[in-house]
Amino acid sequence: MPDLREVPASSLGEHLVGHFLVRWEEDGTLVALLRAAVSQDAAVERITAIFAEQVGPVVARHAPDPGEVPARAGLVATQILGFALCRYVLRLPPVVALDREAAISWLAPTIQRYVTGAV
């Protein structure tokens, strides 16, 4: 995860989605890990650790209520992993057809709301 401490809170959603798109597109290991997570506990544990270690601290810095951090980080995971599953594993044509800017514009507001509580 890049250091997002200097990123304005109002653009965290865009930065997070952009980061994950690059990671998913440049690292075939993540796609293999997602495929394996469907049936292997070790893969589930690794994906869980990635989100806890990378997304959790970002959410913790920006969540309006510290008690909501686990739920908010988990919801970020639902969006990122759901998108990745549909785009890189299932290869759903409308999701695959989205260019980078379109994917960010669709996903960023939701991620932004999950992280900060604001759109």
Side-chain angles (χ1 to χ4, degrees):
M1 181 70 81
D3 184 356
L4 299 175
R5 287 179 286 198
E6 300 298 322
V7 172
S10 62
S11 63
L12 282 169
E14 292 175 26
H15 280 80
L16 284 168
V17 173
H19 166 73
F20 280 110
L21 286 174
V22 168
R23 297 298 302 141
W24 284 100
E25 290 168 2
E26 292 181 357
D27 188 349
T29 304
L30 291 174
V31 175
L33 188 60
L34 183 59
R35 284 187 176 118
V38 174
S39 61
Q40 297 177 11
D41 290 341
V44 171
E45 290 172 16
R46 182 66 190 125
I47 287 176
T48 301
I50 289 169
F51 277 88
E53 295 165 6
Q54 295 184 16
V55 175
V58 174
V59 175
R61 282 194 298 277
H62 298 282
D65 177 350
E68 295 177 342
V69 169
R72 288 178 179 277
L75 289 167
V76 169
T78 68
Q79 295 301 300
I80 298 300
L81 292 173
F83 183 82
L85 177 68
C86 290
R87 185 175 179 109
Y88 305 113
V89 177
L90 300 176
R91 297 187 180 133
L92 296 178
V95 179
V96 172
L98 293 171
D99 64 26
R100 178 178 164 72
E101 293 76 27
I104 291 171
S105 72
W106 279 102
L107 294 172
T110 300
I111 299 300
Q112 183 72 34
R113 185 171 67 83
Y114 289 158
V115 173
T116 67
V119 177

